Amino acid sequence: MRRPNILLTGTPGVGKTTLGKELAAKTNLVYVNVGDLAKEGQLYEGYDEEYECPVLDEDRVIDELEDKMTDGGIIVDYHSCDFFPERWFNIVFVLRTENSFLYDRLESRGYRGKKLQDNIQCEIFQTIYEEAMSSYKEEIVYQLPSNTPDDMERNLDQIIQWTEQWIKDNN
């Protein structure tokens, strides 16, 4: 049975991981957090002193995921999306969070100074959404609000319905 590949993307702190894990549990799709994958496989090409974080080796990430993505049934979670091959995804969801919620979430994760401000600006200027729109066909890119637990439940229900319909239509 063919199953879709889904990309969950958005600024750090918008709820990708929470939604992705719940979605995987309810759909039997496989959840892949790119940050965790990179950490486990040391898929880095350096360290960014300014942001105090490793720099992802995008080519190695793609090599690591290629076979899984070809098989289908994968939910990919990452805060950037322009380096993934367009052919990988059947749908792309960009999670969006109002700045007041996002600021508190990022601050609670220990984000400070430039890293905190740049991530808030990224959300204000819709950077990830624009990246998704320029990297994938417009008709497969959707924005979803992700401010409250109710938003998360609605998003989960909507994506489950989409997934069920995709499976019916493609098998």
Side-chain angles (χ1 to χ4, degrees), residues 50-77:
E50 185 176 24
Y51 290 105
E52 300 177 346
C53 64
V55 177
L56 192 69
D57 185 330
E58 296 172 352
D59 291 334
R60 288 178 60 206
V61 168
I62 289 170
D63 290 345
E64 187 75 22
L65 286 173
E66 184 71 51
D67 290 342
K68 287 180 183 148
M69 299 307 291
T70 302
D71 294 341
I74 307 295
I75 301 163
V76 173
D77 160 357

Side-chain angles (χ1 to χ4, degrees), residues 21-60:
K21 287 179 177 178
E22 280 289 315
L23 187 59
K26 295 187 182 226
T27 61
N28 292 317
L29 299 179
V30 175
Y31 171 75
V32 176
N33 179 306
V34 172
D36 292 346
L37 179 78
K39 188 182 234 178
E40 290 162 13
Q42 290 298 300
L43 306 177
Y44 303 123
E45 59 182 17
Y47 190 80
D48 186 321
E49 297 294 337
E50 185 176 24
Y51 290 105
E52 300 177 346
C53 64
V55 177
L56 192 69
D57 185 330
E58 296 172 352
D59 291 334
R60 288 178 60 206

Side-chain angles (χ1 to χ4, degrees), residues 13-152:
V14 296
K16 300 177 298 293
T17 301
T18 303
L19 180 61
K21 287 179 177 178
E22 280 289 315
L23 187 59
K26 295 187 182 226
T27 61
N28 292 317
L29 299 179
V30 175
Y31 171 75
V32 176
N33 179 306
V34 172
D36 292 346
L37 179 78
K39 188 182 234 178
E40 290 162 13
Q42 290 298 300
L43 306 177
Y44 303 123
E45 59 182 17
Y47 190 80
D48 186 321
E49 297 294 337
E50 185 176 24
Y51 290 105
E52 300 177 346
C53 64
V55 177
L56 192 69
D57 185 330
E58 296 172 352
D59 291 334
R60 288 178 60 206
V61 168
I62 289 170
D63 290 345
E64 187 75 22
L65 286 173
E66 184 71 51
D67 290 342
K68 287 180 183 148
M69 299 307 291
T70 302
D71 294 341
I74 307 295
I75 301 163
V76 173
D77 160 357
Y78 196 56
H79 61 263
S80 181
C81 64
D82 61 348
F83 69 94
F84 297 119
E86 183 180 0
R87 70 181 183 281
W88 276 8
F89 299 105
N90 303 101
I91 196 158
V92 176
F93 293 104
V94 182
L95 301 184
R96 303 294 312 276
T97 299
E98 292 173 20
N99 296 328
S100 57
F101 292 106
L102 187 59
Y103 188 94
D104 292 342
R105 291 178 194 174
L106 293 176
E107 201 173 46
S108 73
R109 291 181 177 191
Y111 284 43
R112 302 279 181 265
K114 182 170 175 49
K115 186 173 185 177
L116 176 61
Q117 291 307 317
D118 285 357
N119 278 288
I120 295 295
Q121 283 186 347
C122 183
E123 187 65 9
I124 290 169
F125 294 122
Q126 303 185 65
T127 304
I128 308 299
Y129 176 66
E130 289 179 8
E131 186 179 284
M133 290 296 285
S134 66
S135 300
Y136 304 96
K137 293 178 194 145
E138 259 182 58
E139 61 268 18
I140 72 163
V141 178
Y142 296 88
Q143 293 186 80
L144 298 175
S146 185
N147 299 303
T148 66
D150 285 344
D151 288 340
M152 212 271 287

